[in-house]
């Protein structure tokens, strides 16, 4: 394994290039890993992991700021996504996982995303922001920004969709996927929130019995 092997942090999240990710570091192996990264000014790789296993495509992260250090060595840090990569070979020789990786960027597109596609994707993001926050951020993103798909996808909690977006090497394909996914997702979220609002009103009593009442 080469000396510049990338430290890996398997997590239940998907990080995108340009996105921020706050982390609470408490496991001993990750205290060591983050300590090494801070000392040597290293990036580390965030890869999605679940009960089904670990993804082979992730995103490198840099530590922008140490927010807090605790007496027992725990840390709160703020990280930022940089570049995507594919895992080539895993290394388990240290207390934390490392890997040889192959960084990748988008492939050159014969058909780049049209202005209409960009506007449709941005409109879908606006609808999601209105649902989630009741308004829009002060700084509206431009539909022409090259990382528009990552900005939009970062507002979606669905990890399966996020991982698909991370792996695609075409901005047009990512925007097309988002414009297909978001209307259904937003409608489902509206229905879930409606049910949560009206469900307490459908019962005959607001009293929730204690265990002793059962």
């Amino acid at each position: 394994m080469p000396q510049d092997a990338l430290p890996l942090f398997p997590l239940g999240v998907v990080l995108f290039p340009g996105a921020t990710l706050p982390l609470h570091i408490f496991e001993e192996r990750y205290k060591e890993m983050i300590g090494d990264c801070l000392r040597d000014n290293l990036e580390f790789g965030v890869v999605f992991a679940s009960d089904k296993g670990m993804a082979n495509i992730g995103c490198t992260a840099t530590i922008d700021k140490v927010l807090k250090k605790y007496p027992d060595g725990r840390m709160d840090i703020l990280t930022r996504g940089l570049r995507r990569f594919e895992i080539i070979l895993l290394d388990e020789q240290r207390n934390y996982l490392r890997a040889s990786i192959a960084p990748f960027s988008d492939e050159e597109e014969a058909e780049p995303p049209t202005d209409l596609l960009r506007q449709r994707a941005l409109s879908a993001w606006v609808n999601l922001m209105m649902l989630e926050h009741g308004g829009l951020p002060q700084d509206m993103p431009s539909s022409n920004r090259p990382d528009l798909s990552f900005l939009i996808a970062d507002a979606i909690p669905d990890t399966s969709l996020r991982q698909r977006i991370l792996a695609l090497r075409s901005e047009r394909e990512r925007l097309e996927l988002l414009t297909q996914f978001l209307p259904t997702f937003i409608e489902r979220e509206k229905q879930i929130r409606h049910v949560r609002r009206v469900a307490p009103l459908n019962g005959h009593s607001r009293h929730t019995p204690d265990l002793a009442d059962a």
Side-chain angles (χ1 to χ4, degrees):
M1 181 66 61
Q3 293 296 315
D4 59 351
L6 182 73
L8 293 184
F9 203 156
L11 290 168
V13 300
V14 178
L15 177 65
F16 294 118
T20 57
L21 177 65
L23 293 172
H24 176 64
I25 309 301
F26 62 93
E27 289 189 47
E28 292 301 324
R29 55 182 167 169
Y30 296 123
K31 290 180 190 177
E32 179 183 346
M33 185 189 82
I34 295 301
D36 291 345
C37 291
L38 287 169
R39 183 191 65 232
D40 299 327
N41 195 27
L42 300 175
E43 300 172 15
F44 63 93
V46 173
V47 284
F48 177 66
S50 67
D51 294 339
K52 298 180 181 179
M54 188 177 71
N56 72 326
I57 288 177
C59 182
T60 65
T62 185
I63 303 170
D64 276 354
K65 189 175 183 180
V66 177
L67 302 172
K68 185 174 182 179
K69 287 186 176 182
Y70 298 84
D72 60 1
R74 291 178 296 130
M75 285 178 281
D76 294 332
I77 62 175
L78 183 64
T79 71
R80 176 171 44 87
L82 292 180
R83 53 185 179 142
R84 294 175 291 164
F85 65 86
E86 183 176 1
I87 294 173
I88 303 302
L89 183 64
L90 290 174
D91 171 29
E92 301 182 77
Q93 295 179 6
R94 291 194 180 181
N95 291 330
Y96 54 83
L97 197 60
R98 298 188 303 160
S100 289
I101 65 164
F104 67 88
S105 302
D106 281 352
E107 298 170 351
E108 186 174 348
E109 297 188 277
E111 298 181 16
T114 63
D115 290 343
L116 178 59
L117 175 58
R118 289 182 171 277
Q119 287 293 343
R120 286 177 56 204
L122 187 59
S123 295
W125 177 81
V126 166
N127 292 336
L128 180 59
M129 290 297 99
M130 294 297 294
L131 176 66
E132 294 289 341
H133 306 292
L136 296 175
Q138 292 183 348
D139 297 326
M140 273 289 293
S142 168
S143 63
N144 292 322
R145 59 183 292 168
D147 62 344
L148 180 64
S149 62
F150 291 139
L151 177 135
I152 294 173
D154 198 40
I156 302 172
D158 187 292
T159 52
S160 177
L161 184 278
R162 291 172 70 95
Q163 188 64 36
R164 289 176 64 190
I165 292 293
L166 186 70
L168 285 173
R169 306 189 184 198
S170 161
E171 177 72 353
R172 177 179 56 81
E173 291 180 7
R174 289 193 296 269
L175 291 173
E176 287 175 346
L177 178 57
L178 288 167
T179 56
Q180 295 166 8
F181 175 88
L182 273 170
T184 302
F185 175 79
I186 292 171
E187 187 59 35
R188 184 171 66 247
E189 285 295 304
K190 287 180 179 178
Q191 293 174 359
I192 290 172
R193 293 170 191 221
H194 175 71
V195 169
R196 287 174 178 169
R197 285 197 304 269
V198 303
L201 305 178
N202 291 334
H204 297 291
S205 172
R206 294 180 181 271
H207 172 64
T208 300
D210 297 326
L211 290 178
D213 295 336

